[in-house]
Amino acid sequence: MTRTFTVHPSSGLARNWDLEHDLNDAQRSAVTCGQGPKLVIAGAGSGKTRTITYRVAFLLMKGLHPSQIMLATFTNKAAREMLSRVETLTGSQSAGIWGGTFHALGNRVLRQYGTLVGLSANFSILDEDDQRQLLKVALADAKIKVEQKRFPAPAVLQDLLSLSFNTQQDLAKVVEERMPHFSPWMEAILKIAAGYEAKKRSANAVDYDDLLRYWWLLLERHPDIAQRLGGQFRAILVDEYQDTNTIQACIVERMAQHNGMNLMVVGDDAQSIYRFRGANYDNILKFPQRNPKTEIFKLEVNYRSTPQILEFTNASILHNSTQYQKILTAQRPSGSLPVVIPIQTAFEEAAFVAERILQLRDEGVPLAEMAVLYRAHAHSTILQAELIKRNIPYEVRSGIRFFEQAHIKDVVAHLKILDNPFDEIAWRRLWLMLPRIGNATTQRLWQKVSQAAEPFVAAVDPTLKDILAAAAQPAFIRFQKDLRSLRTLAQETPSASTLIQTVLETPYLDYLRATYESFESRLEDLQQLAIFAQAYRTLRGFLSELVLLGELYGQQMTSGAEDSERLILSSVHQAKGLEWRVVFVIRMCEGAFPSEIALREEQGEEEERRIFYVATTRARDELYLTYPLMDMSLRGNRGMLLHPSRFLREIRFTLYEQGQIESLPQAWSDLN
């Protein structure tokens, strides 16, 4: 006689949830759906993380073993947060779940199967600095002869190689489209790229992109492994699918072919804003076309923002023609309308924002619950200075504090030697920018210059070049010529702003382009520095203020607990996924937001509008949008009126309040 026993799949798991109470109808449908490909379009503030977490918990309760679930996220922090919530819901350990970034998951897969694609089991992973050092070695081995034109630095080469991989485009095409000024070096770049690959293999090392590259090769060349992995992972979930690149989408969709297409991808097409990193918008937009019988869920209930803010953001994104149509509805009580405020200049914009922040703090809004967002890091320049002057502690999340950036220091070094030709640090920085000049040579140059009664005169003396090797002399002679012109100009005008613009007309621009990644954004930084310098009557006053601003900022950062709370400054890209009670979006004018550069690209306007959508949906209670009316640049447009951003003009005026400035505090009145 045979006895039959029944084992319930959920045995041993606590059920610390109530699906009817904890989830809305759309969330519940996505969490409890059956097998097959699923696309969850999760609008801003609609409970995306909760939905994914409950889905994983639901699968565990249905009997899946943790090792049968793969959860791909874009940060390890996000994965840890989700898995921690799963443990809270189920009372079980989630350690067995394969959760993490694509690169972390790729590492785990390749540790098991990497030998099949030529990797040793003990391969090393190169971090970004390691990659640049190895590229530097490959560059040296290639023995590139650099004369007048500058060759791209390892950091720039690293960006080009990574972009080529992430967009799945030939390296030559990437160079031609993104950095055409390096096209004459194409043969040498390809040679270095090949040398870099060879050195990685000989060192038994991979970089971050290789973790995806070899994972994909494994699936392509070994169908049996693809089938094994698909069989292991009975459920695959991917967060932020709109931000995946082509290879990432290919990997998960290929593995899912062997598990009955039990693949759930979650994201918001309206928040696809990382094309510059290689993200492929079609991954989420055309997911149903690539995966027939896809079931689509839309999470359209917003729990973050007031109805007024949400109606404003909805009105903007509706102007995009390529998207999944959805209308977010608010669950929160009514609040105030967003406020759009035209202001005369960028200086007055900074003064207003700082003043309003102080008012809100006095009204009980903590600094940490306020953020200032901008399209480009350069747009925070004048605001940072204003915040320091008013002793408002802040944290920059869009990069290094503006005045501490290397390219800012490069240009300031030009100005320092005009004001103080005995500044050894500034001279050394300038000399080291020149081709074929290293630390030993700068030491000899300084010994010669520092002994002179007039160091500047000695530094531009034609005979000084004799210290250098012949190959270094042409660029050095040009540098001396530019310095003489710069000094003549400085004697004619005290304007630091004009001097900065003049530096940008020298070969330093070639150095900037060849040495640093993100050339366009760094150039914009320097143009903003020139605008900032307009507020100072003398070069010495400007240079002194830079030092004092740095000192004041340092005092803020080392102050006591009372200042532990800080205002957040962030680019929109860095702010994605975050929220604050009050949000300011600055520089809402044409040419700044949307970005003039981005508009030149195909579908650029729609992505810029998605960036604007992300910015406005960060606000919970209050939203302020400001734009200067006057162009402050020295590019021939100074004094011309600026137009408000098209993203403001296309929104019905009844959806926001028009603000106006009656009087501003006497900012910048004590300038030197």
Side-chain angles (χ1 to χ4, degrees), residues 607-640:
E607 175 150 329
E608 288 295 296
R609 189 176 287 106
R610 293 195 294 269
I611 297 171
F612 178 62
Y613 174 81
V614 169
T616 55
T617 53
R618 300 309 94 197
R620 296 203 300 267
D621 299 338
E622 295 184 49
L623 175 63
Y624 298 87
L625 306 107
T626 65
Y627 64 92
L629 294 169
M630 303 297 293
D631 191 321
M632 302 288 292
S633 72
L634 297 181
R635 295 172 293 176
N637 298 326
R638 189 178 182 188
M640 290 184 63

Side-chain angles (χ1 to χ4, degrees), residues 421-422 445-461 464:
F422 290 93
L445 288 168
W446 177 246
Q447 285 178 346
K448 181 75 172 177
V449 169
S450 63
Q451 294 171 2
E454 296 186 44
F456 193 96
V457 175
V460 297
D461 189 307
L464 187 62

Side-chain angles (χ1 to χ4, degrees), residues 381 384-389 391 394 401-405 409 416 532 536 541-558:
T381 313
Q384 286 192 48
E386 183 72 11
L387 294 173
I388 293 171
K389 282 173 170 289
N391 197 30
Y394 69 92
R401 196 176 75 91
F402 186 84
F403 300 108
E404 295 174 347
Q405 297 176 104
K409 289 186 174 183
K416 283 184 174 181
F532 172 74
Y536 298 86
F542 169 69
L543 294 174
S544 298
E545 188 72 2
L546 292 185
V547 175
L548 294 174
L549 287 173
E551 183 180 0
L552 288 171
Y553 181 78
Q555 291 172 358
Q556 284 185 6
M557 295 301 290
T558 57

Side-chain angles (χ1 to χ4, degrees), residues 236-532:
I236 301 174
L237 300 93
V238 185
D239 188 22
E240 304 287 9
Y241 206 63
Q242 78 280 352
D243 295 333
T244 55
N245 61 38
T246 300
I247 289 293
Q248 290 166 333
C250 287
I251 286 171
V252 293
E253 291 182 26
R254 177 61 180 274
M255 288 199 305
Q257 291 175 4
H258 300 284
N259 73 357
M261 284 309 297
N262 290 318
L263 170 63
M264 173 176 283
V265 301
V266 184
D268 184 4
D269 59 301
Q271 297 186 65
S272 178
I273 62 174
Y274 292 110
R275 181 172 55 172
F276 70 95
R277 291 182 185 169
N280 187 345
Y281 185 55
D282 282 349
N283 287 352
I284 192 167
L285 194 66
K286 297 182 179 179
F287 182 85
Q289 297 177 28
R290 295 192 308 276
N291 302 284
K293 299 183 180 180
T294 293
E295 189 175 4
I296 301 176
F297 303 90
K298 293 184 180 181
L299 308 184
E300 299 177 288
V301 178
N302 177 283
Y303 296 93
R304 176 185 299 157
S305 305
T306 62
Q308 287 76 11
I309 292 174
L310 209 57
E311 192 172 4
F312 181 90
T313 61
N314 283 335
S316 173
I317 200 64
L318 280 175
H319 286 83
N320 273 10
S321 59
T322 308
Q323 63 173 313
Y324 289 102
Q325 291 292 334
K326 59 184 177 298
I327 298 293
L328 297 184
T329 57
Q331 284 292 98
R332 293 193 53 207
S334 182
S336 58
L337 288 170
V339 185
V340 176
I341 308 166
I343 303 179
Q344 284 298 316
T345 68
F347 293 100
E348 294 181 1
E349 180 182 52
F352 162 74
V353 171
E355 181 75 10
R356 184 61 185 141
I357 286 167
L358 290 174
Q359 292 170 357
L360 288 164
R361 186 177 63 175
D362 290 343
E363 293 169 12
V365 181
L367 286 177
E369 281 293 330
M370 292 184 274
V372 182
L373 306 183
Y374 32 81
R375 176 63 182 85
H377 182 54
H379 298 161
S380 68
T381 313
I382 296 170
L383 177 61
Q384 286 192 48
E386 183 72 11
L387 294 173
I388 293 171
K389 282 173 170 289
R390 291 171 180 261
N391 197 30
I392 301 176
Y394 69 92
E395 175 186 343
V396 180
R397 294 188 178 174
S398 53
I400 301 172
R401 196 176 75 91
F402 186 84
F403 300 108
E404 295 174 347
Q405 297 176 104
H407 54 294
I408 300 296
K409 289 186 174 183
D410 289 345
V411 171
V412 170
H414 286 81
L415 308 187
K416 283 184 174 181
I417 61 168
L418 296 175
D419 183 60
N420 175 20
F422 290 93
D423 191 329
E424 178 182 356
I425 301 301
W427 278 114
R428 286 179 179 271
R429 188 179 193 96
L430 296 179
W431 288 328
L432 285 171
M433 294 181 207
L434 301 175
R436 304 182 185 279
I437 292 182
N439 288 316
T441 304
T442 60
Q443 178 64 22
R444 293 196 299 271
L445 288 168
W446 177 246
Q447 285 178 346
K448 181 75 172 177
V449 169
S450 63
Q451 294 171 2
E454 296 186 44
F456 193 96
V457 175
V460 297
D461 189 307
T463 63
L464 187 62
K465 72 178 187 306
D466 298 335
I467 293 176
L468 310 177
Q473 291 184 11
F476 188 79
I477 293 170
R478 172 62 193 269
F479 170 71
Q480 289 181 310
K481 178 183 177 182
D482 291 331
L483 283 188
R484 284 193 289 269
S485 299
L486 197 61
R487 192 185 196 194
T488 300
L489 180 63
Q491 292 169 342
E492 296 173 355
T493 173
S495 170
S497 183
T498 302
L499 293 171
I500 291 169
Q501 289 289 345
T502 303
V503 172
L504 297 182
E505 295 168 4
T506 71
Y508 173 75
L509 207 58
D510 294 329
Y511 174 84
L512 181 74
R513 183 183 284 117
T515 305
Y516 302 114
E517 68 276 18
S518 306
F519 164 73
E520 295 282 1
S521 64
R522 290 177 187 268
L523 179 58
E524 186 173 3
D525 285 344
L526 294 170
Q527 291 166 344
Q528 291 296 318
L529 180 68
I531 293 174
F532 172 74

